[in-house]
């Protein structure tokens, strides 16, 4: 079942035991909350207590659609069956993430032919169980753990669907199984979309890969069938949410509000456009982006590369002086920021459209990922950080090296797979292309969001574990 071989099953209890110990350590030692935690909790509580999916405004539960209902539904189920303490939520996330470890091993095994499943599945299992980054998110009530579980499950069913459809078997039962697999994959993507609205990128990646794989006319029926079933599966979980928004708010909203805004709330898109011309470090998200429209801002908070000239810096400083008097984003301020963004882009279009996105992608992939831990995450300059706080420096360096190990292993595994490309079967090649396409699409997408946070690639770490396991591929075995 789910491609778990006898050897994989032997490793399963030990890997899950080690994984549970790691996750419980984070829950015990470093429990945390985040800005969105209270928002999700309000949705869940109002849903249970008042039958209203919304926020508490002026002491009343008011309907809202600024968050999709996936993670609040998870919280509501935990509240209903385990109680409303955060410990119950965190323990439920530990169990869910251990399930993701099993799915990761199954995904790795499904990717390769039967004779290679143990060789690839076992290292994928251990890499997932011992990965501290998703494990760390078990200790905070955010959607990362649930999103990672659903993303991994969807990828597993997509690859199962590809293998089943590519089989030469012609039995009617086999064809019926392929139909079910595609539909289940679409439903899993739909459920994931209710947790994180960008999850349909999975289907975009699948569409690109399958259009190339089944480009010949003889395969067009399979292509159409897969496309229709994936689309139907995607839509099914979204229908109740879309219908609710149509009835309640009289508009068609099947995802979430683009900027997570309340109806009628002003969105400072000009400020967002300006930050996209320079902001690439998560440190600047903390220091500038999240404070705008919430707290006063000093010109010293901005890095030097946010300005091209002293005159531009002076313009922003004058604007901040006005802003700090009311600490509110206004259309007047926004028009000035939009003009600054247009001027900077006109001067250096490659910076806005290429260099800043590339720096953002580097920053979200190569980071210590300790934003939930009580450490600064600062490494530079090395001698200064070492002298100021050696424990902070060592922890930051340790997690940074672990991140580098996982990314490097994934690159080595991909390199090994490419070396053996011609010796592998078509389903392996298509499945591998799907994983890579999704990584690239998601990275490109994240370079365009307003606040590029490293946590947004946590969902990709099961893929890194699978790619890292491919370093154990051997040319002596077909597909391995």
């Amino acid at each position: 079942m789910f491609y778990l071989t006898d050897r994989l099953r032997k490793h399963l209890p030990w890997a899950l035991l080690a994984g549970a110990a790691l996750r419980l350590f984070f829950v015990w030692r470093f429990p945390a909350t985040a800005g969105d935690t209270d928002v999700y909790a309000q949705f869940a509580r109002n849903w249970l207590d008042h039958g209203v999916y919304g926020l508490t405004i002026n002491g009343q539960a008011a309907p809202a659609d600024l968050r999709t209902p996936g993670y609040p539904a998870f919280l509501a189920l935990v509240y209903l069956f385990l109680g409303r303490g955060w410990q119950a939520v965190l323990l439920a996330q530990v169990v869910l993430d251990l399930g993701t470890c099993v799915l990761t091993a199954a995904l790795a095994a499904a990717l390769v032919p039967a004779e290679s499943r143990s060789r690839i599945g076992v290292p994928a299992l251990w890499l997932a169980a011992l990965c501290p980054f998703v494990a760390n998110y078990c200790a905070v009530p955010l959607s990362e753990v649930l999103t990672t579980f659903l993303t991994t499950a969807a990828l597993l069913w997509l690859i199962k669907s590809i293998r089943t459809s590519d089989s030469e078997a012609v039995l009617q039962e086999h064809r019926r199984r392929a139909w079910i697999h595609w539909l289940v994959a679409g439903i899993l993507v739909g459920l994931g979309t209710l947790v994180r609205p960008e999850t349909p990128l999975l289907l975009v990646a699948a569409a690109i890969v399958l259009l190339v794989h089944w480009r010949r006319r003889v395969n067009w029926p399979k292509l159409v069938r897969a496309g229709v079933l994936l689309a139907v599966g995607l839509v099914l979980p979204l229908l109740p949410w879309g219908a609710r928004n149509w009835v309640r708010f009289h508009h068609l909203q099947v995802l979430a509000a683009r900027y997570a805004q309340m109806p009628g709330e002003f969105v400072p898109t000009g400020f967002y456009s300006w930050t996209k011309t320079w902001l690439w470090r998560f440190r600047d998200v903390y220091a500038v982006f999240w404070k705008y429209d919430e707290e006063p801002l000093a010109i010293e908070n901005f890095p030097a590369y946010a300005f091209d000239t002293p005159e531009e810096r002076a313009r922003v400083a004058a604007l901040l002086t006005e802003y700090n008097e009311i600490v509110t984003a206004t259309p007047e301020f926004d028009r000035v920021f939009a003009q600054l963004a247009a001027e900077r882009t006109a001067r250096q279009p490659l910076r806005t459209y290429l260099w800043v996105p590339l720096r953002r992608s580097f920053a979200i992939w190569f980071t210590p990922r300790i934003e939930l831990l009580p450490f600064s995450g600062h490494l530079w300059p090395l001698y200064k950080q070492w002298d100021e706080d050696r424990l902070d420096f060592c922890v930051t360096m340790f997690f940074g090296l672990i991140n580098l190990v996982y990314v490097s292993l994934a690159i080595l595994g991909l390199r090994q797979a490419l070396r053996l490309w011609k010796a592998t079967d078509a389903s392996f090649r298509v499945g591998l292309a799907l994983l890579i396409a999704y990584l690239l699409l998601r990275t490109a997408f994240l370079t365009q969001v307003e606040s590029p946070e490293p946590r947004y690639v946590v969902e990709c770490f099961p893929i890194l574990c699978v790619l890292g396991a491919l370093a154990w591929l051997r040319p002596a075995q077909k597909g391995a």
Side-chain angles (χ1 to χ4, degrees):
M1 183 180 182
F2 291 116
Y3 302 101
L4 297 181
T5 64
D6 290 341
R7 184 166 172 240
L8 256 174
R9 289 191 181 94
K10 290 179 181 178
H11 281 260
L12 200 58
W14 302 108
L16 293 183
L17 184 62
L22 176 64
R23 286 151 180 80
L24 290 173
F25 169 76
F26 282 117
V27 168
W28 168 66
R29 189 65 181 84
F30 301 109
T33 57
D36 287 342
T37 297
D38 184 58
V39 174
Y40 287 130
Q42 285 188 52
F43 275 115
R45 288 194 300 265
N46 287 329
W47 207 353
L48 284 177
D49 296 340
H50 308 291
V52 175
Y53 184 77
L55 298 174
T56 302
I57 300 176
N58 297 324
Q60 299 293 322
D65 65 348
L66 77 165
R67 289 289 189 277
T68 47
Y71 190 66
F74 172 77
L75 291 181
L77 288 173
V78 174
Y79 292 165
L80 189 61
F81 292 105
L82 300 177
R84 300 202 177 187
W86 282 128
Q87 286 298 324
V89 174
L90 303 187
L91 292 176
Q93 292 189 159
V94 168
V95 174
L96 191 65
D97 195 37
L98 292 176
T100 303
C101 296
V102 178
L103 290 175
T104 302
L107 175 62
L111 186 64
V112 297
E115 62 270 19
S116 300
R117 287 173 185 165
S118 294
R119 179 185 293 275
I120 304 306
V122 170
L125 172 65
W126 281 101
L127 285 171
L130 299 178
C131 178
F133 304 118
V134 186
N136 193 7
Y137 275 89
C138 291
V140 60
L142 285 176
S143 62
E144 268 61 38
V145 170
L146 181 57
T147 305
T148 305
F149 177 86
L150 290 171
T151 298
T152 309
L155 284 168
L156 172 60
W157 279 94
L158 283 168
I159 289 177
K160 282 166 63 74
S161 303
I162 292 169
R163 280 211 168 273
T164 304
S165 298
D166 276 347
S167 172
E168 295 180 358
V170 295
L171 296 176
Q172 190 65 30
E173 177 63 29
H174 193 86
R175 292 175 181 170
R176 186 160 53 247
R177 197 171 358 124
W179 281 52
I180 294 173
H181 287 172
W182 289 117
L183 183 63
V184 170
I187 290 172
L188 288 169
V189 175
L191 292 173
T193 304
L194 289 176
V195 182
R196 286 286 280 272
E198 71 272 14
T199 305
L201 287 172
L202 282 167
L203 296 190
V204 177
I208 294 171
V209 171
L210 292 177
L211 281 170
V212 175
H213 180 50
W214 287 337
R215 62 188 179 277
R216 295 180 180 175
R217 185 183 294 270
V218 68
N219 291 320
W220 287 2
K222 289 195 291 186
L223 184 63
V224 171
R225 181 169 62 244
V228 169
L229 291 170
L230 288 173
V232 170
L234 171 68
V235 169
L236 284 177
L238 300 178
L239 281 177
W241 171 242
R244 175 261 188 187
N245 290 333
W246 178 263
V247 171
R248 177 68 70 173
F249 301 110
H250 308 293
H251 67 85
L252 185 61
Q253 177 74 41
V254 294
L255 297 177
R258 171 67 177 84
Y259 298 104
Q261 76 274 17
M262 294 291 286
E265 182 181 356
F266 174 69
V267 178
T269 54
F271 177 77
Y272 296 164
S273 296
W274 178 63
T275 58
K276 282 186 177 181
T277 67
W278 60 268
L279 189 152
W280 61 273
R281 299 184 307 175
F282 187 48
R283 186 184 308 176
D284 298 325
V285 174
Y286 265 118
V288 175
F289 187 87
W290 284 348
K291 290 185 177 181
Y292 187 65
D293 203 25
E294 297 286 342
E295 302 177 30
L297 282 172
I299 193 67
E300 291 76 21
N301 291 353
F302 293 78
Y305 51 78
F307 316 105
D308 287 341
T309 63
E311 291 76 18
E312 184 181 352
R313 189 177 190 275
R315 287 173 64 188
V316 175
L319 190 62
L320 292 179
T321 300
E322 295 182 46
Y323 160 80
N324 287 337
E325 294 179 0
I326 58 174
V327 193
T328 302
T330 67
E332 292 74 21
F333 295 153
D334 215 48
R335 281 192 287 270
V336 178
F337 279 122
Q339 180 63 30
L340 286 168
E343 292 171 3
R344 287 173 60 84
T345 299
R347 282 195 298 269
Q348 297 189 46
L350 284 179
R351 174 178 59 192
T352 299
Y353 300 119
L354 180 61
W355 302 126
V356 170
L358 284 176
R359 288 174 178 171
R360 286 184 169 196
S361 62
F362 181 85
I364 61 178
W365 276 110
F366 295 94
T367 172
R369 303 190 189 282
I370 58 173
E371 55 269 16
L372 295 180
L373 301 177
F375 302 100
S376 70
H378 297 164
L379 289 173
W380 309 104
L382 292 175
Y383 67 89
K384 181 180 178 181
Q385 298 301 329
W386 173 258
D387 285 342
E388 288 184 354
D389 191 331
R390 296 189 177 184
L391 176 61
D392 188 292
F393 178 86
C394 290
V395 171
T396 301
M397 180 65 77
F398 176 70
F399 277 87
L401 289 175
I402 292 177
N403 183 82
L404 184 60
V405 166
Y406 273 82
V407 175
S408 299
L409 262 179
I411 293 172
L412 289 174
L414 179 60
R415 179 174 176 271
Q416 177 72 350
L418 294 176
R419 283 183 60 244
L420 304 174
W421 187 260
K422 293 183 179 179
T424 57
D425 63 12
S427 295
F428 170 81
R429 295 194 291 269
V430 177
L432 183 62
L434 171 63
L435 299 184
I436 300 304
Y438 178 65
L439 284 180
L440 294 176
L441 277 173
R442 186 168 182 82
T443 301
F445 171 81
L446 294 178
T447 64
Q448 300 303 309
V449 300
E450 285 66 41
S451 56
E453 300 180 48
R455 70 185 176 102
Y456 291 150
V457 295
V458 165
E459 293 87 345
C460 296
F461 267 81
I463 299 177
L464 295 191
C465 294
V466 171
L467 295 178
L470 294 180
W472 280 263
L473 278 170
R474 293 294 178 268
Q477 299 176 349
K478 184 180 179 182

